[in-house]
Amino acid sequence: MGGGGREHALSWALKRDAPDATVFAAPGNPGTAQLGTNLRIPATASEDLLAAIREHDIDLTIVGPEAPLAAGLADRLRAAGRAVFGPAAAAARLEASKAFAKDVLGRAGVPTAASGSFTVLEPALAYIARHAEPLVVKASGLAAGKGVVICGTRGEASRAARAMLADGAFGEAGSEVVIEEWLDGEELSVLALTDGTHTLVLPAVQDHKRLGEGDSGPNTGGMGAYCPVSIAAGGSALLERVRREVIAPTLAELARRGAPYSGVLYAGLMITADGSPYVLEFNCRFGDPEAQALLPLLPGVMRHVAEIAAGGWRPPDDALVPVRAAVATVLAASGYPDRPELGAAIDVPRDLEAGVLVFHAGTERTPDGTLRVQAGRVLTVTGLGDDVAEAAGRSADACEQITFQGKTYRRDIGWRDIARARAGAARG
Ligand code: AMP
């Protein structure tokens, strides 16, 4: 369910792990159409989806995006006796309400920025006046990654809080705000598969939220991601700390509240200077473009997804180890994220190098067969290699060869690890 690059990657991984499976995507995109059948149903039309699931006798439903999960799609399908991968609405609140997530984190004793949650402006302003700069002001609800304002001064923080609470910026999503201390460090994403009882932590991924190279410019839905990340390699102390100090206590607290979590839990973390993981946010689904980097590296992972949905899952004894390295670069339309220019014709050469995967996101196939830009993030181009630098080179070469008017992308996805590897080599 869904129609972005993540859902194309999920469909691709399903066909890899279960070649005989028949794949439907709702609504899908021209990429998923190459792997199966697109159903013209938006991911939020739960009754239409249920009817289609019955009509096509679909055994397993994987919900890609957060909005339908927050709206209770997984509950609806489970109540109808269908196997579904994705949390119930009560557990998806972890993403849909940052204030709820903060409360869970506090109760569970999970490290996170000190914060306050407010629905009324005056106490929010008083909180800002009492706390040190910089501050981060967040719309509590779902705001497609845009509801977070990093504020260098109290004045900016007050304006951001006023815009959300008094002036309706972000609408309903901003009717409650979380105001928190700013944390310095390196961001890291850790995703874990869970059926509520057992947990399988996946290799860590690092995404690149800013539009420009060197992590400059405005925040976006994500311009690229890579895996593995050397500071959190498989079996590393950091990944183990995340499992023990973040994932396990969060799942236990949700279960204690009667909202056990099943699906993939995505922890967005800040690793501070002393190497400690602090939670910035949770997502209740695979990330986009994190999925396009992660899934190609984990053969067999979709069998776990299917077994979690079906019930009776037994996680493997050993962690899933990335078979290679992957760098996923997003090709965006000009003007993204604010005013993407749509409609340009896209040319994807047929003879791209082996070791390159092209996932569709904001594309459409017009009746004359032309592939055109249909949304801000157009394609994700995943390069595979023996290390991050090689994968980045493959991704960059393919991004160069794919053409459309206004093509915008970062040529530095994975730069932190490439710099670390160079520094390591220089040290000898
Ligand atoms: P979120 O949606 O809460 O993950 O926030 C989006 C982005 O804002 C994160 O990926 C971080 O880059 C940044 N951010 C959020 N909270 C903080 C914080 N407390 N300190 C520093 N940066 C933050």
Side-chain angles (χ1 to χ4, degrees):
M1 239 140 245
R6 165 184 49 216
E7 287 76 22
H8 186 187
L10 284 164
S11 303
W12 175 87
L14 269 173
K15 290 298 277 185
R16 174 196 59 195
D17 293 344
D20 296 334
T22 305
V23 174
F24 294 86
N29 62 37
T32 60
Q34 294 165 3
L35 300 168
T37 306
N38 286 349
L39 302 172
R40 297 177 71 86
I41 304 170
T44 41
S46 54
E47 293 313 310
D48 292 350
L49 281 169
L50 185 55
I53 288 166
R54 289 194 171 120
E55 180 191 338
H56 299 290
D57 198 17
I58 291 169
D59 300 305
L60 162 66
T61 303
I62 302 170
V63 185
E66 61 276 19
L69 291 166
L73 179 61
D75 307 72
R76 180 72 188 97
L77 298 185
R78 278 196 197 99
R82 295 289 164 169
V84 53
F85 183 80
R93 274 186 84 199
L94 218 46
E95 174 167 3
S97 166
K98 288 186 191 286
F100 174 78
K102 281 294 196 180
D103 191 53
V104 169
L105 288 165
R107 286 293 176 83
V110 176
T112 185
S115 72
S117 301
F118 305 92
T119 53
V120 176
L121 183 60
E122 299 314 319
L125 296 178
Y127 182 92
I128 291 167
R130 282 201 312 276
H131 286 82
E133 303 167 340
L135 287 163
V136 184
V137 179
K138 302 181 174 188
S140 178
L142 293 180
K146 298 187 183 84
V148 174
V149 190
I150 313 277
C151 305
T153 65
R154 290 195 192 87
E156 278 176 58
S158 300
R159 282 193 292 281
R162 188 180 298 279
M164 292 182 198
L165 287 174
D167 305 338
F170 306 109
E172 182 57 29
S175 64
E176 183 167 25
V177 301
V178 171
I179 303 172
E180 67 181 29
E181 68 176 319
W182 180 80
L183 297 173
D184 198 8
E186 179 166 346
E187 285 186 57
L188 189 73
S189 300
V190 176
L191 288 74
L193 301 182
T194 179
D195 62 357
T197 308
H198 309 93
T199 304
L200 178 63
V201 174
L202 302 180
V205 197
Q206 205 161 49
D207 73 347
H208 300 62
K209 283 252 181 290
R210 304 290 208 97
L211 181 67
E213 284 168 20
D215 295 329
S216 60
N219 258 328
T220 69
M223 295 300 290
Y226 72 98
C227 176
V229 186
S230 59
I231 59 167
S236 63
L238 178 54
L239 206 55
E240 174 54 23
R241 275 189 76 177
V242 174
R243 189 192 65 73
R244 199 177 59 238
E245 296 176 18
V246 174
I247 306 285
T250 300
L251 293 174
E253 173 61 19
L254 284 172
R256 194 189 66 76
R257 293 178 182 215
Y261 193 102
S262 168
V264 59
L265 178 64
Y266 173 137
L269 305 166
M270 187 68 87
I271 311 302
T272 54
D274 69 353
S276 299
Y278 282 71
V279 174
L280 294 179
E281 64 159 347
F282 285 115
N283 294 324
C284 61
R285 29 94 194 166
F286 285 101
D288 185 337
E290 292 86 337
Q292 294 93 302
L294 196 51
L295 297 172
L297 298 179
L298 303 175
V301 70
M302 300 308 287
R303 283 202 291 274
H304 296 293
V305 165
E307 285 171 21
I308 287 170
W313 177 55
R314 286 285 167 271
D317 292 335
D318 298 320
L320 301 186
V321 179
V323 288
R324 303 181 78 189
V327 169
T329 307
V330 169
L331 296 182
S334 79
Y336 177 76
D338 290 336
R339 274 177 297 279
E341 249 174 64
L342 311 184
I346 305 165
D347 178 52
V348 181
R350 283 181 181 282
D351 56 348
L352 289 175
E353 200 188 345
V356 171
L357 298 163
V358 177
F359 295 114
H360 288 243
T363 68
E364 67 177 342
R365 183 90 55 197
T366 44
D368 65 357
T370 312
L371 196 63
R372 291 192 181 275
V373 172
Q374 181 262 344
R377 291 193 295 170
V378 182
L379 297 163
T380 309
V381 181
T382 300
L384 301 171
D386 290 337
D387 55 28
V388 173
E390 188 177 72
R394 290 225 167 91
S395 177
D397 286 349
C399 286
E400 190 71 34
Q401 291 175 53
I402 296 170
T403 55
F404 58 86
Q405 186 74 38
K407 181 180 72 174
T408 301
Y409 67 104
R410 285 181 58 169
R411 292 164 181 79
D412 68 342
I413 305 302
W415 66 270
R416 279 197 177 77
D417 251 25
I418 294 169
R420 273 193 279 263
R422 282 210 191 105
R427 276 197 303 275

